[in-house]
């Protein structure tokens, strides 16, 4: 497994894991509560920060455990990365329509912020899945 594929796996696991914990924590407060009173800003910022920090730490650990592979990339890695980023861009572009529509409808900020965060998560997940499939099935 190349270092780029390892990075992609780390990105998927951390991204999905952090998002699941965030949404489980915040959305569990929704039933029976006015969403305007739910404190979501700090938990969301914490989730984003933890996701970034965990990715950095785990990628450093992966590089330490396999130092020969750490900086090796080839043309295939670049093409796979490009394809994954294109797919992620399109998913984000489409998914961002939902929070935009919610903002235009003057829906509560809670829903706008959370659907935008979900759009970022879905884009990262789609991008990573495309990359992993490309690595596994060939490109």
């Amino acid at each position: 497994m190349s270092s780029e594929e390892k990075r992609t796996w780390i990105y998927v696991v951390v991204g999905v894991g952090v998002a699941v914990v965030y949404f489980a924590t915040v959305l569990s407060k929704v039933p029976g509560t006015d969403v305007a009173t739910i404190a979501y800003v700090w938990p969301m910022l914490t989730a984003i920060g933890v996701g970034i920090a965990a990715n950095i730490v785990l990628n450093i650990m992966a590089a330490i455990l396999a130092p020969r592979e750490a900086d090796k990339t080839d043309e295939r890695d670049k093409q796979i990365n490009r394809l994954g980023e294109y797919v992620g861009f399109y998913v984000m572009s489409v998914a961002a329509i939902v929070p935009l529509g919610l903002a235009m409808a003057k829906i509560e900020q809670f829903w706008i912020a959370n659907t935008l965060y979900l759009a970022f998560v879905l884009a990262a997940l789609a991008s990573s899945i495309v990359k992993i499939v490309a690595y596994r099935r060939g490109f």
Side-chain angles (χ1 to χ4, degrees):
M1 182 182 310
S2 72
S3 63
E4 291 299 316
E5 186 179 358
K6 285 178 190 174
R7 287 181 184 142
T8 303
W9 276 106
I10 291 168
Y11 192 66
V12 166
V13 171
V14 169
V16 170
V18 168
V20 165
V21 170
Y22 168 76
F23 284 120
T25 303
V26 172
L27 295 180
S28 68
K29 299 174 184 175
V30 171
T33 306
D34 178 21
V35 294
T37 63
I38 297 174
Y40 69 91
V41 175
W42 283 110
M44 186 182 291
L45 292 174
T46 301
I48 293 167
V50 166
I52 291 169
N55 266 302
I56 291 170
V57 168
L58 292 173
N59 278 304
I60 290 171
M61 288 174 54
I64 290 170
L65 294 173
R68 291 184 182 177
E69 299 173 7
D71 292 328
K72 289 184 181 178
T73 59
D74 59 14
E75 189 60 34
R76 180 175 173 254
D77 290 321
K78 291 176 185 174
Q79 290 175 342
I80 289 172
N81 187 55
R82 190 176 301 123
L83 175 64
E85 294 304 314
Y86 283 150
V87 170
F89 169 78
Y90 287 117
V91 169
M92 182 63 197
S93 297
V94 171
I97 293 170
V98 175
L100 180 62
L102 293 175
M104 290 177 180
K106 298 183 180 177
I107 302 298
E108 197 64 49
Q109 283 182 328
F110 173 87
W111 294 114
I112 296 168
N114 281 288
T115 55
L116 187 57
Y117 180 58
L118 180 60
F120 280 113
V121 171
L122 292 175
L125 183 61
S127 173
S128 298
I129 288 171
V130 166
K131 290 176 188 179
I132 290 168
V133 169
Y135 276 114
R136 292 294 164 173
R137 292 203 177 159
F139 183 76

